[in-house]
Amino acid sequence: MIALLRLIALAIFAVFTFVFGCGYCLLSPRNPKHVYTFGLWFARMSRVFGIKLEVRVPESVKNAGPSLYIANHQNNWDLFTVSGAIQPRTVTVGKKSLAWMPLFGQLYWITGNILIDRNNRSKAVGTIAQVADNIKKRNVSVWMFPEGTRSRGRGLLPFKTGAFHAAIAAEVPVTPIVCSNTEGVKLNRWNNGVVIVEILPPVSLDGYDKSNVRELANECREQMKTKLEELNKEVAQRNQA
């Protein structure tokens, strides 16, 4: 019964957001401020799913200028949890096919996000250049998921290097974002406990270039892996209390 009520609430939320959201964005289409607005709006839905969302943003990140944000990618709950960590003038990178998804795709495009052709490996270099070009010309930060796919309870997957190549090309720091485990969140459970999303301090690119980009990816992954273990332990203790 709880799951059914939540699905009804989600359907109402989706129709309202996508229809009226697109109308609102038509006033200033592709303006990156919209991604921030709707990211926080989606995060508010976490309460409906019984999630006590806690977002931690260090002072070093606030008003720090353009950055390449990277976050762990777990499942569909990311839309209502990790989205709460979005910072002003930040856009995300998604598959070009998203544009054809009814309602959501149109909102995703008109809010100013970047659409890429992930299925064409020959365009990988062009994709990196596209991301870097957006950062420089639009003065925005870009959010990417370096795992490349949802982990679905498998922990932090190996990182691809595309996001880090883009950061080096755009000459901006890499800022990791970590969300505690959401694999146990259930639609039919009234209280899904605490979920913590924490932004880590920016990682400087000093000493890194194309030749050692894998080392940069590994450093960021180790920081995120350690933080993920810490957050999961804290969440477990708080949910048991």
Side-chain angles (χ1 to χ4, degrees):
M1 185 61 179
I2 296 175
L4 178 59
L5 291 175
R6 282 175 171 160
L7 288 174
I8 293 173
L10 179 60
I12 295 172
F13 170 84
V15 172
F16 175 84
T17 300
F18 301 147
V19 174
F20 289 94
C22 286
Y24 169 73
C25 291
L26 282 174
L27 298 174
S28 54
R30 305 285 295 162
N31 191 321
K33 70 177 183 179
H34 297 317
V35 181
Y36 174 71
T37 300
F38 285 98
L40 299 186
W41 175 244
F42 272 83
R44 288 172 181 255
M45 274 295 288
S46 60
R47 304 173 188 173
V48 175
F49 298 117
I51 297 171
K52 298 181 182 67
L53 184 63
E54 183 176 314
V55 180
R56 300 172 179 173
V57 183
E59 290 298 324
S60 58
V61 171
K62 298 177 181 178
N63 302 314
S67 181
L68 196 298
Y69 290 99
I70 56 171
N72 56 321
H73 196 15
Q74 300 184 66
N75 45 49
N76 291 337
W77 294 117
D78 292 347
L79 191 60
F80 308 106
T81 55
V82 73
S83 62
I86 193 81
Q87 296 299 296
R89 296 197 62 78
T90 299
V91 298
T92 69
V93 176
K95 296 181 293 184
K96 187 175 291 185
S97 58
L98 282 176
W100 302 105
M101 185 179 295
L103 297 180
F104 177 80
Q106 290 71 58
L107 182 63
Y108 189 83
W109 176 82
I110 202 169
T111 49
N113 292 298
I114 304 170
L115 295 172
I116 61 172
D117 187 357
R118 278 176 43 183
N119 294 324
N120 192 334
R121 293 182 178 274
S122 66
K123 293 184 179 180
V125 175
T127 296
I128 292 170
Q130 182 182 353
V131 172
D133 195 50
N134 268 269
I135 294 174
K136 291 180 176 179
K137 290 187 176 180
R138 298 173 66 194
N139 190 35
V140 297
S141 295
V142 172
W143 177 310
M144 300 180 73
F145 294 107
E147 293 166 282
T149 188
R150 298 175 179 86
S151 59
R152 300 191 186 280
R154 293 172 290 171
L156 196 62
L157 301 180
F159 282 3
K160 301 180 184 300
T161 59
F164 305 95
H165 276 293
I168 290 172
E171 301 179 321
V172 295
V174 177
T175 304
I177 302 173
V178 182
C179 179
S180 62
N181 183 32
T182 57
E183 193 64 24
V185 175
K186 304 298 180 185
L187 266 178
N188 211 35
R189 180 186 297 147
W190 180 254
N191 182 6
N192 277 300
V194 178
V195 171
I196 303 174
V197 181
E198 183 169 340
I199 303 181
L200 279 58
V203 177
S204 171
L205 296 187
D206 290 346
Y208 292 109
D209 54 32
K210 294 180 180 179
S211 66
N212 60 354
V213 67
R214 172 52 64 183
E215 294 178 19
L216 174 62
N218 290 342
E219 178 187 342
C220 291
R221 187 179 183 279
E222 283 303 309
Q223 287 189 21
M224 292 175 68
K225 181 181 177 182
T226 299
K227 177 55 66 174
L228 180 59
E229 292 171 352
E230 292 175 0
L231 293 181
N232 286 339
K233 183 178 180 179
E234 179 182 346
V235 166
Q237 292 173 343
R238 290 174 60 176
N239 286 339
Q240 289 175 359

